[in-house]
Amino acid sequence: RSVGNIIAEIEILVDRYGVDFIGFVDDNMMASTNRVLEFCDAMERKKFPITWGCHGRVTSAEPEVLERMAQAGCVWIGYGIESGSREILSAMNKKATVEQAKAAIRNTRQAGIFPNTTFIFGYPGETLETVQETVDFKRDLGIACGSFFATPYPGTPLYEQIRPMIPDEEAFVRSLGNATEFTINLTGFDHGA
């Protein structure tokens, strides 16, 4: 959708319903720097009495862009950091480094925007050391968010990886939940650990 269409929809939400906050659930609203800057320009021209938040990759968290977003009313950005371990990020194919994640959090805070982060424990290859790296990452940056457990949902590469080991696929899928419960051990940890 064009920025103009999004602005028209925001205008309806503000004028008709009195909305004062909008959360954009686009996987990566920040994927195109030009588009996000165009959006910020349009938001400032309209002078909407709202704040907003979105999702982005840590690789897109450039200080100049973040400052512009804050000026246009952005108050939070969701980053799926997932791990503080280089090894686990590589296994997840995140295409981002621990250093980029740390810089993104610092840059976001510097711009006056809250970095809303998520982390996942229990990915295949997870060890006590990689868990500790993530705990240390969160502690060092003062991140107090909860965490999720690696959950192989149908249609994901992780699901395809473990699919041959599932004896009753329908029962397994029904048991998955929302990643806040530990439903399957994908690590080398003993079940009693």
Side-chain angles (χ1 to χ4, degrees):
R1 295 184 333 214
S2 75
V3 169
N5 287 345
I6 295 169
I7 295 298
E9 290 176 19
I10 292 171
E11 194 160 27
I12 291 168
L13 293 171
V14 170
D15 292 347
R16 193 177 299 172
Y17 302 106
V19 169
D20 62 2
F21 176 84
I22 296 176
F24 295 97
V25 291
D26 182 321
D27 282 349
N28 187 3
M29 185 172 172
M30 297 168 61
S32 166
T33 299
N34 289 338
R35 185 170 162 90
V36 79
L37 293 176
E38 179 186 353
F39 175 77
C40 290
D41 290 344
M43 289 291 285
E44 285 189 329
R45 277 194 303 275
K46 282 294 190 175
K47 295 182 175 43
F48 289 125
I50 67 169
T51 56
W52 55 279
C54 66
H55 297 273
R57 285 186 46 81
V58 297
T59 56
S60 301
E62 296 299 326
E64 306 78 30
V65 175
L66 295 168
E67 288 171 21
R68 207 51 206 96
M69 292 170 70
Q71 292 166 356
C74 182
V75 294
W76 68 260
I77 299 173
Y79 296 113
I81 293 175
E82 317 313 10
S83 181
S85 165
R86 178 194 52 76
E87 182 180 340
I88 297 300
L89 290 175
S90 178
M92 291 177 170
N93 198 29
K94 284 294 289 181
K95 297 186 170 102
T97 66
V98 172
E99 293 74 24
Q100 287 171 317
K102 287 179 178 180
I105 291 168
R106 290 183 184 117
N107 292 341
T108 302
R109 286 176 174 160
Q110 184 66 35
I113 300 171
F114 178 76
N116 185 33
T117 58
T118 57
F119 292 85
I120 297 173
F121 288 104
Y123 201 80
E126 191 87 81
T127 65
L128 289 176
E129 291 78 22
T130 61
V131 167
Q132 189 62 55
E133 288 174 327
T134 300
V135 169
D136 291 344
F137 180 101
K138 290 174 71 172
R139 184 181 302 127
D140 292 347
L141 289 162
I143 297 172
C145 71
S147 298
F148 296 96
F149 293 104
T151 305
Y153 292 113
T156 65
L158 187 55
Y159 183 81
E160 293 307 318
Q161 181 181 337
I162 66 141
R163 191 176 194 175
M165 300 177 276
I166 302 171
D168 181 346
E169 194 167 5
E170 187 173 326
F172 176 77
V173 170
R174 278 194 306 242
S175 76
L176 289 179
N178 65 3
T180 59
E181 304 283 328
F182 187 73
T183 58
I184 183 170
N185 186 355
L186 302 172
T187 71
F189 290 128
D190 183 347
H191 291 298

